[in-house]
Amino acid sequence: MSSNNIDSALIENRQFPPASEFTDRARIKQADFDRLHQQASDDYVGFWAEQARSMLDWQTPFNDVLDDSKAPHFKWFADGTLNVSYNCLDRHLASKADKTAIIFEGEKGDTRHITYQQLTDEVSQFANALKAKGIEKGDRVVIYMPMIPEAVVAMQACARIGAIHSVVFGGFSAESLRDRINDASAKMLITADGGNRGGKIVELKSACDKAMAGGCPSIEHVIVCQRTQHDIPMQEGRDTWWHDAIKGQSSECAPVWVESEHPLFLLYTSGSTGKPKGIQHASGGYLLGAVMTNLWVFDLQDNDIFWCTADVGWITGHTYVAYGPLAAGGTLLMYEGAPTVPDAGRFWRICETHRVSIFYTAPTAIRALMKLGDDLPNNYDLSSIRLLGTVGEPINPEAWMWYHKVIGREHCPIVDTWWQTETGANMIAPLPGVIATKPGSCTIPLPGIAADVVDENGNSITEANKGGYLVITKPFPSMLRTIWGDDQRYVETYWPKFDGKYYLAGDSARRDADGYFWIMGRIDDVLNVSGHRLGTMEVESALVAHERVAEAAVVGRPDDIKGEAIFAYVVLRGTRPPDGIDEELTKELRNWVGEQIGPIAKPDNIRYADNLPKTRSGKIMRRLLRNIACGEDITSDTSTLENEDILLQLQGKS
Ligand code: WT7
């Protein structure tokens, strides 16, 4: 990466300081913020020890705060023990047993309110069911479920007994599910007959059956939650209905105390190779990041209704649905379905009905809803909303301003939160009662988070608006511990530069004259489609697995709604279709990729060529392909191309 390549053109000068009505009642005020920053810079380790002691309940208090003797395999609070589910549930019962923990709304409009007492009972009962099926501390359990409370119950039940869950997003295909089950050697699969989404049934159980038919030798039991109640086959001896599994189980289950470093979960995410990485998080450090950011960034207070729209299949749904709000003793809202059912006012209707006060979603959703005009949100009473959040990709200032004006009615702070699956929790984000926001910037790192922008040599870039690598220069509790089963890939992926001293986030960024961070995009071959990460190699591997495809190259191109769209160049076995067009095959390949990975990975464009442009060393010239996909002038040196005619083909001109 050359540095001029990541210099930025975008300069956005508007500033929005928090209104005093917000600041007056915010958890963190200016003085608190100053004190926290001072503490973190005076005594970094002491700062984190204090947070961990005050925000979490420990069964055995820790003395070792940070162990960096085997860096970059860091340990936090290693001699302490705790239980994550105890911290999310039991510890609130004395004061909040009857408080609503989860408000659920199904796509068809059914609703449920679940109190802390009820949730504790359900989690305990299901944990007992897991134990009855032989699940023990350290066993891996894959969860493939719709957005219903039972998904959270399943996750919390695993945490209660020290089992390691790996949630697979319900939009991933049977193939993807099987790969994840096998990579983790999971003993159990928890699913549902289906979920309601977009007015249709998502056939989760049949995807599980297909995955298992392809070979998942480690799976001993499948538990199936009844949601849609349509007919599905159950395999005798292997499959058990959730309601049968909990029958006769006690609703008391003593939490299993685990070491702070005990893995809480794996979550697979894309990287620069074709194989997703099982990001491994530790119990204590992760939960600390989750609860702290819910309190500080989302200012979660006792009477708030907190709605994070992310699916539990993504890290956002782990930290800001399944764990953080509960650890903070808050009330969260969970919605099963699509934002457009029965119409695109659904989100706003839910906000009105349930008096949502904190709303957290992705720029892609904001842009899609913005396109439909102001009338939809204006039809609803959004006066309960006091704080807005965004995550997943840089938000364009236009969408930010719409969010601010039309949804926030110009009085709600917007927290633009930069973080990753790997960081477990928000890293760079405004504290809403303190920091003035700027449309498109995630502002400044949280207290205790040491983020920097550095050049090729690892030197901090002090010049305003000059782009560089976004790095984290000190270990932090909620960071990933490793990639499941692949310590070497962990080291090579995240610590490859700067003598292994800094965590390399994989994003480029710049800082403006006020020290605000502006994320500029990925530096690796990772696409961001609707806020979801997809490796170009993953899509390429899926394409070449098709019998008619010889070679494929995939790049991203900007898309108004999705952020990035997928553009695939394909070389077929045999001859290129006339004029490079074959609509039948294009349809087939798109569906094929959908089956291999999931619908989000379907290429938006496919262009057929005789060859791919490569350098002499055989590397695909991606920048050139990107230029073409974006309809831009070709800026790369094409002199190494063997066959100049290929350019016309790639451009779709011959
Ligand atoms: C990548 C991480 C963390 C939950 C959602 C995505 C991009 C994330 C922002 C933001 C600009 C952002 C980065 C990052 N990203 N949040 N507020 N502004 N970019 O999780 O799939 O692990 O992806 O998403 O490129 O590296 P993920």
Side-chain angles (χ1 to χ4, degrees):
M1 179 178 67
S2 73
S3 60
N4 57 359
N5 174 16
I6 50 178
D7 276 353
S8 176
L10 182 93
I11 305 291
E12 166 68 55
N13 287 319
R14 283 171 291 197
Q15 282 212 34
F16 296 84
S20 60
E21 73 182 81
F22 188 94
T23 299
D24 290 347
R25 52 165 297 203
R27 276 185 185 272
I28 305 288
K29 301 187 171 60
Q30 186 71 51
D32 310 301
F33 179 78
D34 294 341
R35 182 178 41 81
L36 290 168
H37 263 293
Q38 196 58 47
Q39 264 181 353
S41 81
D42 291 349
D43 176 12
Y44 183 75
V45 166
F47 165 88
W48 281 113
E50 189 184 318
Q51 304 314 323
R53 289 191 181 108
S54 69
M55 293 192 187
L56 299 179
D57 283 18
W58 297 85
Q59 173 69 5
T60 323
F62 58 87
N63 290 307
D64 299 348
V65 184
L66 169 62
D67 175 357
D68 56 7
S69 59
K70 297 206 176 71
H73 296 278
F74 300 99
K75 292 181 180 172
W76 285 91
F77 323 122
D79 60 345
T81 65
L82 81 172
N83 179 278
V84 167
S85 142
Y86 177 89
N87 273 275
C88 293
L89 302 169
D90 309 56
R91 69 163 164 166
H92 305 311
L93 293 181
S95 58
K96 298 180 174 173
D98 296 329
K99 176 175 176 166
T100 301
I102 301 181
I103 302 173
F104 170 71
E105 184 168 310
E107 192 176 78
K108 293 184 170 161
D110 49 317
T111 58
R112 269 174 81 187
H113 284 67
I114 305 169
T115 65
Y116 270 93
Q117 184 65 58
Q118 290 166 334
L119 189 60
T120 309
D121 292 348
E122 283 194 34
V123 167
S124 301
Q125 196 179 34
F126 191 65
N128 283 327
L130 295 180
K131 286 200 284 188
K133 296 272 182 215
I135 299 299
E136 292 173 1
K137 180 183 171 193
D139 287 342
R140 274 80 59 210
V141 173
V142 167
I143 298 175
Y144 186 65
M145 291 190 76
M147 273 296 281
I148 56 175
E150 284 78 2
V152 175
V153 170
M155 293 163 81
Q156 288 281 349
C158 287
R160 195 162 191 89
I161 60 173
I164 305 168
H165 63 67
S166 165
V167 183
V168 176
F169 173 54
F172 278 126
S173 67
E175 301 279 327
S176 297
L177 174 63
R178 193 192 58 209
D179 290 348
R180 285 158 176 75
I181 289 171
N182 289 337
D183 189 78
S185 306
K187 246 171 123 171
M188 177 182 278
L189 173 58
I190 305 173
T191 188
D193 48 358
N196 300 305
R197 194 167 166 99
K200 290 187 224 133
I201 288 180
V202 183
E203 295 284 348
L204 295 168
K205 175 62 163 62
S206 71
C208 289
D209 290 339
K210 199 169 159 202
M212 308 270 286
C216 294
S218 57
I219 295 286
E220 293 170 7
H221 294 283
V222 181
I223 296 186
V224 187
C225 180
Q226 199 166 35
R227 170 64 186 154
T228 50
Q229 301 184 323
H230 67 306
D231 256 354
I232 50 146
M234 295 286 281
Q235 184 175 310
E236 185 75 39
R238 186 194 72 182
D239 305 349
T240 313
W241 287 107
W242 177 297
H243 51 262
D244 290 332
I246 59 173
K247 221 172 260 167
Q249 295 295 345
S250 158
S251 56
E252 269 174 43
C253 173
V256 172
W257 308 109
V258 300
E259 323 78 76
S260 182
E261 282 296 310
H262 181 66
L264 177 62
F265 64 82
L266 312 178
L267 184 59
Y268 284 80
T269 191
S270 302
S272 314
T273 75
K275 189 176 182 276
K277 314 174 266 200
I279 302 300
Q280 180 180 321
H281 277 289
S283 303
Y286 169 80
L287 194 65
L288 177 59
V291 67
M292 187 181 101
T293 52
N294 262 272
L295 295 172
W296 291 1
V297 179
F298 295 104
D299 192 44
L300 188 57
Q301 303 197 20
D302 202 36
N303 51 0
D304 276 313
I305 309 290
F306 177 77
W307 184 17
C308 163
T309 66
D311 192 282
V312 290
W314 309 108
I315 189 68
T316 312
H318 282 58
T319 309
Y320 301 105
V321 179
Y323 290 111
L326 296 175
T331 299
L332 68 100
L333 187 133
M334 218 176 157
Y335 169 57
E336 177 189 32
T340 46
V341 176
D343 59 61
R346 186 63 182 265
F347 272 11
W348 317 128
R349 187 150 56 247
I350 292 174
C351 288
E352 177 185 279
T353 311
H354 302 288
R355 306 299 294 159
V356 169
S357 58
I358 306 171
F359 179 72
Y360 187 33
T361 196
T364 185
I366 299 169
R367 286 191 299 264
L369 293 166
M370 173 175 81
K371 282 226 154 166
L372 302 170
D374 301 358
D375 286 354
L376 277 170
N378 285 342
N379 277 335
Y380 296 95
D381 174 9
L382 301 181
S383 60
S384 55
I385 301 180
R386 64 181 195 92
L387 177 64
L388 297 169
T390 149
V391 62
E393 59 178 306
I395 181 165
N396 48 312
E398 189 198 356
W400 195 100
M401 287 307 298
W402 184 82
Y403 203 30
H404 168 71
K405 285 196 174 131
V406 181
I407 308 305
R409 317 272 150 113
E410 297 187 46
H411 70 95
C412 302
I414 297 180
V415 290
D416 179 343
T417 58
W418 178 86
W419 60 297
Q420 309 178 292
T421 304
E422 292 87 341
T423 69
N426 294 170
M427 298 288 283
I428 309 180
L431 294 195
V434 178
I435 305 293
T437 55
K438 302 183 188 187
S441 167
C442 50
T443 76
I444 61 172
L446 298 178
I449 299 301
D452 201 353
V453 179
V454 301
D455 65 19
E456 199 63 47
N457 303 314
N459 298 317
S460 187
I461 296 177
T462 49
E463 196 182 315
N465 296 316
K466 193 167 160 52
Y469 297 100
L470 179 60
V471 295
I472 312 296
T473 59
K474 286 185 186 157
F476 51 98
S478 69
M479 69 194 296
L480 79 163
R481 293 304 189 260
T482 189
I483 293 171
W484 178 259
D486 201 344
D487 284 347
Q488 196 185 337
R489 189 172 175 199
Y490 163 71
V491 177
E492 284 168 3
T493 306
Y494 300 108
W495 310 87
K497 286 172 165 284
F498 323 124
D499 303 325
K501 270 196 331 222
Y502 298 160
Y503 168 84
L504 185 71
D507 284 333
S508 58
R510 67 183 167 91
R511 253 177 314 207
D512 68 15
D514 299 325
Y516 278 43
F517 284 68
W518 298 76
I519 307 299
M520 292 156 62
R522 299 285 307 188
I523 53 170
D524 49 13
D525 291 327
V526 168
L527 306 174
N528 189 325
V529 180
S530 301
H532 301 311
R533 209 197 290 191
L534 276 173
T536 51
M537 287 264 287
E538 235 176 313
V539 184
E540 287 164 9
S541 320
L543 282 166
V544 296
H546 188 278
E547 56 181 12
R548 292 202 47 199
V549 176
E551 241 189 324
V554 165
V555 296
R557 69 162 168 79
D559 180 273
D560 275 358
I561 305 262
K562 298 202 277 187
E564 262 186 304
I566 303 176
F567 200 115
Y569 298 86
V570 168
V571 179
L572 296 176
R573 293 175 195 279
T575 52
R576 175 173 174 259
D579 303 322
I581 301 171
D582 186 337
E583 275 165 20
E584 267 310 292
L585 182 60
T586 297
K587 207 169 134 200
E588 187 179 323
L589 290 179
R590 295 186 71 237
N591 289 335
W592 170 261
V593 174
E595 269 172 42
Q596 298 285 304
I597 304 175
I600 50 168
K602 285 184 182 178
D604 297 271
N605 307 81
I606 297 182
R607 196 160 281 173
Y608 302 96
D610 287 322
N611 264 308
L612 294 176
K614 290 187 185 158
T615 62
R616 267 185 206 143
S617 60
K619 246 187 128 193
I620 295 173
M621 296 169 75
R622 284 179 188 282
R623 196 185 309 163
L624 179 122
L625 292 178
R626 230 171 273 135
N627 288 152
I628 296 173
C630 303
E632 298 165 354
D633 293 338
I634 291 168
T635 52
S636 347
D637 178 9
T638 54
S639 57
T640 50
L641 266 180
E642 282 171 68
N643 173 4
E644 288 269 346
D645 297 345
I646 198 74
L647 279 180
L648 290 174
Q649 268 192 16
L650 294 166
Q651 289 169 304
K653 291 181 186 161
S654 76

